[in-house]
Amino acid sequence: MSTPAARPSTEGSALERYFKITERGSSVSREVRGGFATFFTMAYIVVLNPLIIGTQEDSTGGFLGGGDGPNLAMVAACTALVAGVMTLLMGVVANYPLALAAGLGLNAFVAFGIAKLPEMTWADAMGLIVLEGLIILLLVLTGFRKAVLHAVPPPLKTAISVGIGLFITVVGLVDAGFVRKAEGGPLGELGVGGFLAGWPLLVFVIGLFIIITLHVRGVKGAILYGILGTTILAMVVEAVFDIGGQTNEAGELVNPTGWGLNVPSLPSSLVATPDFGLLGDFNLLGSFNKIGIVSAALLVFTILLADFFDTMGTMVAVGAEGDLLDEEGNPPNSQKILVVDSLAAVAGGAASVSSNTSYIESASGVGEGARTGLASVVTGVLFLLTTFLSPLVAVVPYEAATPALVLVGFLMMQQVKDIDWDDLEIAIPAFLTIILMPFTYSITAGIGAGFVSYVFIKVVRGKVATIHPLMWLVGVLFVLYFGIDPIKGILGVE
């Protein structure tokens, strides 16, 4: 008698059947454990995103959410809200152990590369994010994503990521006061007058070594634990020495060795009703009137590049970690994964917290056994609960948070090994991309220089036929972007 072919079990709870937990070789307990692991390895974004975008003025002098100063609690609440909702959606719709939140690098680009452009407001900048997300969604639904994917050489995409990592590192060092602008001297100097003066800088150094120690010892959640531990240390130092902030109520620098951003002390309450006042605060096409069609289109394309390719790489890497890929190296429900990720970009812009994207930290949850979207549901719920803890963000000084930016910069810098430095056709554009971002304090300048030089070198080496049409288009657009002022002068346009 022949043995009947094995069939997937239909036994178990509706939860197990919906998420195919048993079929993927997992269990409810492993999924819950994995969801917690992912949350604790990426919860730092609830602190870092407000510190990156919530502390910066747009070109008109306005802060996110309005007001005369940063509203970090509001930005933190909205950051956690969007991360929670979109991660839940990833779990329920795509059934994949992938979590989403505001993208590091992307948020820095929005803060320093878009919002500070002439006449641009935060609402205009977030409108570009919404537009970029809608375009990515269209690319996914129509299948055009493959055309975009193959247009840009992989090493150039790697250089963009490395350059953003260096830029984030510089932002962290400058915000902490570890590196400061020298009066009449070089571009920067160490601390105050070349010395690490003041208790806050000592706290920064200790915090950096704490995070490095946790990371090299393989502690999951190293960044989050490092921020929390350093913040507690900062509170103790402030309570003992009564240092105070660097500026007075008028924003004037009166205490160079004081705390940056916030004076660390316990808030009046640890839990508060979240303020979601940023939701819907965007202007979809406002940037086109402020900076022109060419500049706005370039910015959208630049954001699209960073967002789109990161997602493709992340979902495959997470799938490989959990042995979830098919014979062609694609994860299950890949189309649904990309659709949810595209919607996350739209949601991030619509909530004024920058584009949300998939996080490679999701691999930590997979490492704990997560194989289905139930883990993402758990992570999403934890993010939603975090919205009630937003007052805690307002007590974190720069010196406690910025060590995390330095480590993130290092992690992004590690990709530099994937660039073939012997191939001049890619090495020179990659070098210009990487080096110009931190030196010009402009991510756009670095990307533009890389694209233009790539096309130029191909032309002078007689390899015109190998240049993708999309690279030609973007190269020409960046030339117009860099030369917009002299071009206006020639044309007599104000």
Side-chain angles (χ1 to χ4, degrees), residues 51-82:
L51 290 174
I52 292 173
I53 67 174
T55 59
Q56 299 299 317
E57 297 176 326
D58 60 25
S59 66
T60 67
F63 289 91
L64 269 174
D68 298 329
N71 191 336
L72 301 186
M74 182 189 292
V75 180
C78 292
T79 297
L81 174 68
V82 177

Side-chain angles (χ1 to χ4, degrees), residues 124-484:
D124 297 329
M126 293 302 172
L128 285 177
I129 298 296
V130 175
L131 188 60
E132 169 260 343
L134 292 173
I135 293 174
I136 289 184
L137 179 60
L138 181 64
L139 290 173
V140 170
L141 295 177
T142 59
F144 286 162
R145 74 181 190 274
K146 291 184 179 179
V148 179
L149 182 63
H150 295 300
V152 183
L156 201 52
K157 290 179 283 188
T158 299
I160 293 172
S161 182
V162 173
I164 291 176
L166 280 180
F167 180 82
I168 288 176
T169 301
V170 171
V171 169
L173 294 174
V174 170
D175 284 349
F178 190 88
V179 174
R180 308 192 186 199
K181 185 177 181 180
E183 293 293 337
L187 291 176
E189 65 179 6
L190 180 68
V192 180
F195 299 94
L196 297 179
W199 283 103
L201 273 183
L202 178 60
V203 169
F204 166 80
V205 173
I206 293 174
L208 180 59
F209 278 105
I210 289 174
I211 287 184
I212 291 174
T213 300
L214 294 174
H215 178 72
V216 299
R217 293 186 66 86
V219 176
K220 293 176 180 177
I223 292 178
L224 176 64
Y225 297 147
I227 292 174
L228 294 177
T230 310
T231 299
I232 293 173
L233 173 63
M235 289 181 179
V236 173
V237 170
E238 173 62 20
V240 173
F241 297 102
D242 191 22
I243 300 164
Q246 293 181 5
T247 59
N248 58 20
E249 294 181 357
E252 300 168 335
L253 181 65
V254 294
N255 183 14
T257 58
W259 299 103
L261 184 63
N262 297 315
V263 176
S265 59
L266 282 176
S268 56
S269 62
L270 300 179
V271 179
T273 302
D275 183 355
F276 300 131
L278 289 175
L279 300 183
D281 189 13
F282 70 94
N283 186 349
L284 186 63
L285 301 176
S287 57
F288 287 83
N289 294 327
K290 302 292 179 57
I291 60 176
I293 295 177
V294 171
S295 296
L298 276 172
L299 291 174
V300 170
F301 182 79
T302 301
I303 304 166
L304 184 147
L305 278 182
D307 206 350
F308 192 81
F309 295 119
D310 277 355
T311 298
M312 297 292 290
T314 299
M315 72 179 194
V316 171
V318 170
E321 177 75 16
D323 195 23
L324 296 173
L325 304 181
D326 60 20
E327 296 80 5
E328 298 180 356
N330 297 316
N333 303 322
S334 59
Q335 183 76 350
K336 292 181 179 179
I337 294 171
L338 291 171
V339 168
V340 173
D341 191 90
S342 303
L343 292 174
V346 176
S352 289
V353 295
S354 183
S355 178
N356 274 230
T357 188
S358 303
Y359 263 58
I360 192 61
E361 282 86 346
S362 304
S364 64
V366 173
E368 288 291 328
R371 295 293 183 272
T372 76
L374 179 57
S376 295
V377 170
V378 173
T379 303
V381 170
L382 291 173
F383 268 119
L384 293 179
L385 293 175
T386 306
T387 61
F388 294 93
L389 301 176
S390 56
L392 293 177
V393 178
V395 307
V396 181
Y398 273 142
E399 292 79 4
T402 50
L405 292 181
V406 177
L407 181 64
V408 170
F410 158 73
L411 296 175
M412 298 177 76
M413 182 70 186
Q414 285 183 301
Q415 301 174 60
V416 76
K417 65 180 182 296
D418 297 327
I419 299 172
D420 183 0
W421 294 103
D422 293 324
D423 181 0
L424 297 182
E425 292 180 9
I426 198 65
I428 293 175
F431 170 75
L432 291 175
T433 298
I434 293 170
I435 205 68
L436 284 178
M437 285 188 191
F439 276 113
T440 63
Y441 230 64
S442 171
I443 296 172
T444 307
I447 294 175
F451 276 65
V452 172
S453 60
Y454 174 81
V455 174
F456 175 77
I457 293 174
K458 285 286 188 181
V459 170
V460 298
R461 297 194 74 175
K463 298 183 178 181
V464 175
T466 65
I467 304 174
H468 193 285
L470 195 55
M471 290 297 292
W472 271 114
L473 174 62
V474 177
V476 171
L477 288 176
F478 267 118
V479 169
L480 294 175
Y481 175 80
F482 287 128
I484 194 68

Side-chain angles (χ1 to χ4, degrees), residues 13 15-16 21-22 26-34 374 378:
S13 67
L15 192 70
E16 288 189 336
I21 296 174
T22 303
S26 185
S27 65
V28 173
S29 62
R30 288 173 64 179
E31 295 300 308
V32 172
R33 188 169 67 247
L374 179 57
V378 173

